[in-house]
């Protein structure tokens, strides 16, 4: 039985909670002499005790000494703040390159006790069965990990080929699973706006199950298309980048999810809707979306987002609501978590300062799970089958010739369309470059920072390679960089200046079952093995972060100076964010949602 399922429901725990609150029985745990941070009233009440029984809060009062018995664990808060455990409202565990167990192990010491995760990365590789495996490992953890059923695999039908497709029937089936909290981000916003029956059927299946529909509206147009999207049913959105975006969401009755991940910095530009415009903060929520293992190890998780919001001028108690109660309310769990109040899961942080939020002790379901940055509990692992560890199927040994781009007959030069990477942003620019031709093959242009990019098919073993050009990484010399983390269909993206090394890099990724590989001057200089679905490692976050740090160093040794370059690399096939991307079907104009030719 999972830990989540072993936690008694409030109704089943109620007799004991009542008895403890009334003083007839003693508590399992009593936290004494703390400052109760009440997110319902936005108050700090000093000199308070908390009684916990059955993993839930039984009572909060100035003196609960009557609840202390011989078997009661007494924790002295010593005047510190008693804060609800932090909630991440929208995130992808796979972005940390970690399994749910190792992700939980990494974030628990940072005070995260509830996560709302969308495993659409693994859905693209392993389909509904992959989602079930993530869901099952999530339920094994000592903290609350709720799963949103992925909605869009493929995210752009007709423009990419995934390993598996998610159907409305899959969504309806998943809605019956115990850990499914709703539908993952509805990225196919053009489909919703156009009234696509499949997308609307997925939304309907979620709404009919009385669960939450996640949104993803990646367009600056907040006119008629946005109004149509909101009418379709998505209840939140995390793709806003400016104050006007945040305001537009909440005016439509959606929650504005403001993200601070490893590469996304969208809180500062949107939180002014609350701090300056004075809008009601209850429909604003903080989240991470994507956090690398290095960020988790060195900088934090939701505590990092909270501190950033406070640094941006947000009142600490309002910022705290945005990563506790507001999140719980949004997912229909206000009576289950998100506050220190009777009946809720006993998730609490002890901290000596509300502005910087040092995480000194973390209690989840009434058990101390971390103290002073050290994890004190086990995070159990799922037994991942061989099918989940054998997902890179190239179909053949690739050669330099597979990465050649033939020029039109008789051409000495070509005007090629180039994917332009924009630092610290998800969108790309549609550029062009005048490229020379040698022996009928178009050449990259290192002096002008134009490298080759290839998308290598890895789900069905077709041996297919789609070639194009990319600019912005600054690569120099003979190099190649490849990854099987290639949002959203997760084939394999290889960027390089040398076709032989691009082939060697791709073959190496095939041999190691997925991950990241960096090559320079004919040899591999860094790698990050990700054997589970080619997306995740079941090694501890510290070890994965060390390999990822070496990967970043290796990219720099190849001439890359771009901030968050790995994230930019992994998004080059994300055919739902403008302006231009690559897929297994060719070059995609995302401003028009249609295929486009490589040459003008």
């Amino acid at each position: 039985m999972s830990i989540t399922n072993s936690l008694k429901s409030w109704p089943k725990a109620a007799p004991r909670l009542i008895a403890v609150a009334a003083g007839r029985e003693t508590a399992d745990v009593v936290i004494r002499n703390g400052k109760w941070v009440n997110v319902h009233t936005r108050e700090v009440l000093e000199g308070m005790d908390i009684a916990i029984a059955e993993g839930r809060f039984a009572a909060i009062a100035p003196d609960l000494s009557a609840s202390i018995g011989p078997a009661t664990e007494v924790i002295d808060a010593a005047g510190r703040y008693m804060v609800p455990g932090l909630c991440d409202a929208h995130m992808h565990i796979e972005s940390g390159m970690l399994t749910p167990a190792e992700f939980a192990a990494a974030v628990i010491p940072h005070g995260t006790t509830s996560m709302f995760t969308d495993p659409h990365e693994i859905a693209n590789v392993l389909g509904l069965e992959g989602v079930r495996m993530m869901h099952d490992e999530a339920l094994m953890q000592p903290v609350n990990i709720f799963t949103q059923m992925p909605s869009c695999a493929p995210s752009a039908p007709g423009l990419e080929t995934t390993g598996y497709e998610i159907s409305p029937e899959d969504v309806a089936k998943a809605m019956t699973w115990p850990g499914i909290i709703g539908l993952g981000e509805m990225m196919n916003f053009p489909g919703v706006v156009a009234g696509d029956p499949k997308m609307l059927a997925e939304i309907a299946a979620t709404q009919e199950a009385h669960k939450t529909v996640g949104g993803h509206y990646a367009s600056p147009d907040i006119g008629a298309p946005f109004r149509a999207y909101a009418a379709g049913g998505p209840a939140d959105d995390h793709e806003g980048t400016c104050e006007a975006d945040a305001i537009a969401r909440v005016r439509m009755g959606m929650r504005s999810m403001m993200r601070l991940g490893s590469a996304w910095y969208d809180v500062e530009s949107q939180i002014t809707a609350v701090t300056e415009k004075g809008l009601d903060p209850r429909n604003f929520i903080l989240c991470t979306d994507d956090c690398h293992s290095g960020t988790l190890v060195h900088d934090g998780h939701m505590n990092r987002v909270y501190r950033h919001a406070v640094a941006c001028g947000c009142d600490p108690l309002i910022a705290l609501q945005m990563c506790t109660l507001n999140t719980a309310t949004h997912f229909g769990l206000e009576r289950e978590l998100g506050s220190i109040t009777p009946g809720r899961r006993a998730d609490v942080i002890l901290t000596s300062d509300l502005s910087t939020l040092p995480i000194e002790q973390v209690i989840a379901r009434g058990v101390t799970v971390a103290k002073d940055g050290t994890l004190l509990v086990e995070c159990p692992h799922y037994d991942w089958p061989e099918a989940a560890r054998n997902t890179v199927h190239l179909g053949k040994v690739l050669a330099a010739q597979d990465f050649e781009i033939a020029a039109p007959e008789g051409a000495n030069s070509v005007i090629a369309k180039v994917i332009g990477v924009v630092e610290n942003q998800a969108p790309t620019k549609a550029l062009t470059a005048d490229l020379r031709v040698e022996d009928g093959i178009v050449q990259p242009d290192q002096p002008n920072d134009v490298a080759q990019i290839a998308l290598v098919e890895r789900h069905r073993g077709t041996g297919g390679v789609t070639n194009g050009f990319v600019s912005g990484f600054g690569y120099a010399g003979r190099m190649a960089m490849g990854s099987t983390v290639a949002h959203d269909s997760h084939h394999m993206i290889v960027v390089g200046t040398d076709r032989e090394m691009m082939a060697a890099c791709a073959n190496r990724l095939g041999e190691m079952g997925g991950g990241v590989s960096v090559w320079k001057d004919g040899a591999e200089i860094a790698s990050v093995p990700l054997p589970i679905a080619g997306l995740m490692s079941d090694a501890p976050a510290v070890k994965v972060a060390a390999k990822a740090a070496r990967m970043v160093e290796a990219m720099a040794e190849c001439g890359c100076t771009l901030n968050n370059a790995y994230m930019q690399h992994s998004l080059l096939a994300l055919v739902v964010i403008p302006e231009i991307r690559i897929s297994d079907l060719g070059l995609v104009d995302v401003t028009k949602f249609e295929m486009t030719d490589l040459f003008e």
Side-chain angles (χ1 to χ4, degrees):
M1 181 180 290
S2 74
I3 293 174
T4 291
N5 291 336
S6 67
L7 178 72
K8 286 184 180 178
S9 66
W10 187 345
K12 289 183 178 178
R16 175 108 189 277
L17 297 177
I18 293 167
V20 170
R24 296 192 297 270
E25 293 188 19
T26 57
D28 299 329
V29 180
V30 172
I31 307 173
R32 305 217 68 187
N33 187 31
K35 298 173 183 175
W36 175 26
V37 179
N38 191 311
V39 291
H40 288 278
T41 58
R42 214 182 294 155
E43 294 178 287
V44 177
L45 303 167
E46 298 196 20
M48 304 297 283
D49 293 354
I50 297 173
I52 297 169
E54 307 291 355
R56 295 179 179 273
F57 297 117
I60 305 94
D63 182 6
L64 292 175
S65 54
S67 298
I68 299 174
T72 303
E73 178 188 359
V74 179
I75 298 172
D76 185 5
R80 290 177 290 178
Y81 295 95
M82 302 181 296
V83 174
L86 303 180
C87 307
D88 192 344
H90 174 73
M91 55 170 283
H92 307 284
I93 284 175
E94 303 100 316
S95 294
M97 299 180 173
L98 304 168
T99 59
E102 291 301 334
F103 199 101
V107 302
I108 288 170
H110 295 306
T112 300
T113 58
S114 296
M115 291 172 265
F116 296 83
T117 72
D118 178 356
H120 73 221
E121 320 305 347
I122 202 168
N124 279 272
V125 180
L126 293 172
L128 186 63
E129 183 62 13
V131 177
R132 186 193 61 77
M133 288 185 267
M134 294 288 282
H135 165 275
D136 288 357
E137 184 164 294
L139 288 184
M140 296 165 67
Q141 304 315 309
V143 290
N144 316 305
I145 305 182
F146 300 95
T147 303
Q148 294 174 288
M149 176 60 197
S151 61
C152 298
S155 58
L159 300 179
E160 62 180 344
T161 309
T162 55
Y164 285 83
E165 292 191 13
I166 294 296
S167 69
E169 292 74 23
D170 290 334
V171 172
K173 182 177 181 180
M175 289 301 147
T176 66
W177 298 352
I180 295 289
I181 197 65
L183 189 67
E185 56 181 301
M186 178 50 72
M187 291 178 290
N188 187 3
F189 61 91
V192 175
V193 172
D196 177 79
K198 180 181 176 183
M199 296 299 99
L200 298 190
E202 291 186 4
I203 292 173
T206 307
Q207 291 176 321
E208 287 164 2
H210 305 290
K211 297 187 178 182
T212 306
V213 178
H216 169 116
Y217 183 78
S219 169
D221 187 346
I222 52 177
F226 176 67
R227 293 194 296 271
Y229 186 70
D236 56 62
D237 187 66
H238 58 274
E239 290 294 333
T241 59
C242 63
E243 182 187 270
D245 288 341
I247 292 173
R249 271 73 173 165
V250 298
R251 282 179 177 167
M252 289 291 145
M254 300 170 75
R255 260 76 178 203
S256 171
M257 290 186 174
M258 303 174 292
R259 62 186 172 181
L260 177 74
S262 294
W264 319 130
Y265 290 77
D266 297 320
V267 174
E268 186 173 8
S269 59
Q270 296 185 89
I271 204 166
T272 52
V274 173
T275 59
E276 296 179 12
K277 288 289 193 296
L279 298 190
D280 188 335
R282 63 181 167 172
N283 288 323
F284 293 83
I285 290 173
L286 296 172
C287 69
T288 64
D289 199 357
D290 300 292
C291 272
H292 301 161
S293 54
T295 300
L296 301 178
V297 170
H298 302 297
D299 301 325
H301 189 231
M302 283 304 298
N303 57 332
R304 170 177 174 259
V305 186
Y306 167 87
R307 288 194 302 263
H308 177 68
V310 172
C312 289
C314 190
D315 179 288
L317 294 181
I318 292 176
L320 195 57
Q321 287 176 317
M322 290 179 180
C323 51
T324 57
L325 182 62
N326 291 5
T327 302
T329 300
H330 177 57
F331 288 101
L333 294 173
E334 183 180 327
R335 300 280 291 170
E336 187 67 17
L337 49 88
S339 67
I340 300 174
T341 44
R344 279 70 171 182
R345 299 184 186 189
D347 302 333
V348 59
I349 296 165
L350 299 183
T351 181
S352 55
D353 184 79
L354 268 191
S355 294
T356 58
L357 205 72
I359 308 298
E360 292 154 5
Q361 187 165 346
V362 184
I363 297 162
R365 303 176 193 158
V367 175
T368 296
V369 290
K371 198 168 185 179
D372 297 325
T374 300
L375 182 71
L376 299 178
V377 293
E378 180 188 358
C379 293
H381 282 241
Y382 180 80
D383 184 13
W384 293 87
E386 183 58 30
R389 297 176 180 271
N390 180 26
T391 64
V392 182
H393 309 292
L394 300 182
K396 66 178 184 180
V397 176
L398 295 168
Q401 290 75 19
D402 292 302
F403 298 87
E404 291 180 349
I405 300 174
E409 188 72 28
N412 295 318
S413 66
V414 297
I415 303 296
K417 294 173 185 173
V418 177
I419 302 170
V421 174
V422 182
E423 190 167 38
N424 291 330
Q425 291 187 13
T428 62
K429 292 292 185 184
L431 307 176
T432 59
D434 188 349
L435 301 177
R436 63 190 175 85
V437 176
E438 288 184 6
D439 299 323
I441 304 301
V442 185
Q443 304 298 316
D445 184 0
Q446 285 201 44
N448 293 301
D449 188 23
V450 178
Q452 278 195 220
I453 179 172
L455 189 138
V456 180
E457 200 282 329
R458 66 110 162 172
H459 297 311
R460 293 174 173 81
T462 65
V465 180
T466 303
N467 290 293
F469 296 98
V470 65
S471 175
F473 288 108
Y475 290 131
R478 296 174 56 243
M479 58 73 59
M481 152 83 179
S483 172
T484 53
V485 179
H487 302 273
D488 268 339
S489 55
H490 296 289
H491 287 287
M492 181 190 296
I493 294 174
V494 183
V495 173
T497 60
D498 182 279
R499 288 185 286 273
E500 286 188 2
M501 261 184 288
M502 292 176 75
C505 180
N507 290 326
R508 167 70 173 136
L509 288 171
E511 291 169 5
M512 69 186 201
V516 188
S517 180
V518 185
W519 288 64
K520 184 176 188 292
D521 295 332
E524 184 182 63
I525 60 172
S527 68
V528 185
L530 302 174
I532 297 177
L535 302 171
M536 298 176 291
S537 169
D538 49 3
V542 171
K543 292 185 177 180
V544 178
K547 288 184 176 292
R550 172 59 198 142
M551 170 193 74
V552 172
E553 291 174 355
M555 293 172 74
E557 290 168 15
C558 293
C560 182
T561 59
L562 195 67
N563 187 42
N564 290 309
Y566 170 72
M567 177 60 79
Q568 302 290 4
H569 179 104
S570 70
L571 296 179
L572 290 170
L574 186 54
V575 293
V576 293
I577 297 183
E579 294 178 342
I580 187 170
R581 306 277 166 172
I582 193 169
S583 86
D584 62 303
L585 302 181
L587 208 59
V588 181
D589 182 338
V590 190
T591 63
K592 299 177 181 177
F593 277 87
E594 62 184 31
M595 307 306 298
T596 186
D597 293 330
L598 178 59
F599 303 129
E600 288 199 338

